[in-house]
Amino acid sequence: MHIVLISTPIGFLGSGKGGGVELTLNSLVSGLLSLGHSVEVIAPKNSKLFKCNQKAKLYFIEGEDQISWQHQNYNSPVTIPDNSLLAGMLEKGIDIAKQADVILNMSYDWLPIWMTLNVEIPIAHIISMGSQSSVISNLISKVYAKYPYNFAFHSKIQANDYSFIKKPIIIGNGFKLENYNFLDSVNGPLAWVGRVAKEKGLEDAVYVANKLGEKLNVWGFIEDETYAKKIEQSFPKGTINWMGFLTTYELQKELGKCRVLLNTPKWNEAYGNVIVEALACGVPVVAYRRGGPSEIIQHGETGYLAHPDDKETLLSYVKIVKKIRRENCREWVEKNASTDIFANKVVNWLNKVIKEY
């Protein structure tokens, strides 16, 4: 199969601004290449693919980033900036795709979904969020009526946000497991990983660390400086260890040393890449039973799930996390979330999309 892949229009690959989409894209490219498929990636200028993905052709596009729908109101109108990066990526993708089988879009935005109804080339969409926009959800419904196979989701709970989709295609996610080393560090520090933004709920994890009299190691791109400073000022100085944004290889070396990953989202995560990354290193996860993480974490086996926003229960589970056998965590990832498992699901789905046309 010859696949043209459209990247996120929020930050270049490697910047951390694109959140989990950056890792998902690289993992998928790796899996597709290992299965013998041809992949071309269209991404913002300065983007970098993992070294193992050098066989994929990479095209650079310049332009203005889109505003993330996570940071807009549900009823906000569509805004397309002048010199739009997303429009430029789509224009290039459609041109290249004349010689390909399918365009695979990984940006959650209105324009590529609208294009599905206006070009003859198959455009498949990996939807990376729950319903964050009325105008996008309404458009997905319209496209779905004509092309019911053109959308795939990371988790069932995410797909439930789109009630009009009767039989959602669930593809999960996958990771290159040789990039993650198993460590049996039962006495390590507390960890939190993610974009530092309001919807990620970092303050609840800091609350747990403060109650335990420990420091919390925080890895990730600080998207909202004001939010980060507000949290820092709300707790005793030094409670947060700001560790910065690291590459996958560097992150897993540090994450594996931790005894637990705290995951505290205030919104419905579509999947939860950092959870699987932690599990791949043998690190149990204590999280809220909200969004994709609630489908990934096996309560009592690979971590614990607390009711959403229940900080006290979250704290109680961290206190008993040593009961979790760390080998269980790695084994779950090997059986459910490798790049080959993920890529095979995507290929089976794309074959349905192509056949539809």
Side-chain angles (χ1 to χ4, degrees):
M1 193 181 292
H2 184 177
I3 301 160
V4 176
L5 202 154
I6 306 284
S7 179
T8 171
I10 303 168
F12 61 86
L13 295 174
S15 68
K17 289 183 179 181
V21 176
E22 294 185 29
L23 178 59
T24 299
L25 185 149
N26 266 294
S27 297
L28 179 56
V29 170
S30 176
L32 292 171
L33 291 174
S34 72
L35 294 176
H37 300 287
S38 172
V39 183
E40 298 184 80
V41 179
I42 301 168
K45 185 182 177 183
N46 298 322
S47 290
K48 291 182 180 179
L49 295 174
F50 291 170
K51 286 183 179 179
C52 60
N53 292 335
Q54 295 306 309
K55 286 184 180 179
K57 191 166 185 180
L58 183 58
Y59 296 89
F60 298 117
I61 304 296
E62 294 187 62
E64 291 295 318
D65 284 12
Q66 289 293 122
I67 303 170
S68 172
W69 281 97
Q70 291 162 313
H71 305 128
Q72 299 184 65
N73 294 324
Y74 187 73
N75 293 312
S76 293
V78 172
T79 302
I80 301 175
D82 191 23
N83 188 29
S84 165
L85 171 63
L86 181 56
M89 289 199 296
L90 282 167
E91 188 176 14
K92 183 69 173 178
I94 289 167
D95 183 51
I96 296 170
K98 292 170 185 173
Q99 310 301 322
D101 295 301
V102 64
I103 291 176
L104 179 52
N105 168 52
M106 298 190 71
S107 67
Y108 179 89
D109 219 296
W110 182 87
L111 186 58
I113 299 170
W114 179 81
M115 289 299 295
T116 312
L117 295 172
N118 293 279
V119 296
E120 297 300 317
I121 298 164
I123 305 179
H125 308 272
I126 295 180
I127 302 298
S128 59
M129 301 187 203
S131 179
Q132 293 293 306
S133 158
S134 173
V135 69
I136 291 179
S137 292
N138 289 337
L139 180 60
I140 290 174
S141 177
K142 184 177 180 181
V143 176
Y144 175 74
K146 184 176 181 181
Y147 296 116
Y149 291 119
N150 282 44
F151 301 97
F153 303 86
H154 290 295
S155 65
K156 292 177 183 175
I157 201 162
Q158 174 209 3
N160 287 344
D161 261 13
Y162 303 89
S163 58
F164 52 84
I165 295 184
K166 302 306 177 188
K167 292 183 179 179
I169 295 166
I170 310 300
I171 55 173
N173 212 332
F175 303 84
K176 200 168 179 64
L177 296 185
E178 50 265 46
N179 289 341
Y180 300 89
N181 297 312
F182 175 84
L183 288 173
D184 201 11
S185 306
V186 293
N187 296 311
L190 306 174
W192 188 95
V193 183
R195 284 181 302 103
V196 179
K198 287 180 182 179
E199 68 271 13
K200 296 293 187 177
L202 172 60
E203 62 272 19
D204 288 7
V206 182
Y207 171 85
V208 169
N210 184 48
K211 282 287 186 179
L212 293 171
E214 296 186 47
K215 294 180 183 295
L216 177 70
N217 288 347
V218 174
W219 286 277
F221 174 76
I222 299 178
E223 187 173 79
D224 189 332
E225 292 276 359
T226 304
Y227 169 70
K229 286 178 182 177
K230 184 179 179 182
I231 296 174
E232 198 167 35
Q233 291 166 1
S234 301
F235 295 94
K237 190 175 181 180
T239 305
I240 303 173
N241 270 341
W242 297 108
M243 310 297 284
F245 175 76
L246 299 181
T247 63
T248 296
Y249 176 71
E250 293 298 329
L251 174 62
Q252 65 87 28
K253 285 199 297 184
E254 299 302 320
L255 186 55
K257 298 173 186 175
C258 299
R259 76 177 186 274
V260 62
L261 173 76
L262 287 161
N263 186 254
T264 50
K266 299 293 181 178
W267 72 315
N268 281 336
E269 292 276 5
Y271 186 72
N273 286 1
V274 297
I275 289 173
V276 182
E277 291 190 276
L279 296 177
C281 298
V283 180
V285 183
V286 174
Y288 289 143
R289 192 184 292 275
R290 175 183 275 147
S294 61
E295 291 182 22
I296 297 169
I297 298 163
Q298 310 299 296
H299 186 76
E301 294 291 326
T302 61
Y304 297 104
L305 291 164
H307 288 299
D309 308 320
D310 185 349
K311 295 183 289 188
E312 297 305 326
T313 302
L314 203 71
L315 172 63
S316 69
Y317 284 144
V318 171
K319 290 178 179 178
I320 63 168
V321 79
K322 287 184 182 179
K323 291 184 178 181
I324 300 294
R325 180 176 169 267
R326 287 173 72 100
E327 288 83 0
N328 289 351
C329 302
R330 176 72 183 200
E331 287 168 8
W332 184 90
V333 179
E334 289 174 351
K335 291 177 182 177
N336 296 278
S338 70
T339 50
D340 281 358
I341 291 170
F342 180 39
N344 271 308
K345 287 179 181 177
V346 170
V347 168
N348 290 337
W349 163 51
L350 292 180
N351 275 321
K352 289 181 180 179
V353 175
I354 294 166
K355 192 175 181 180
E356 193 176 37
Y357 279 74

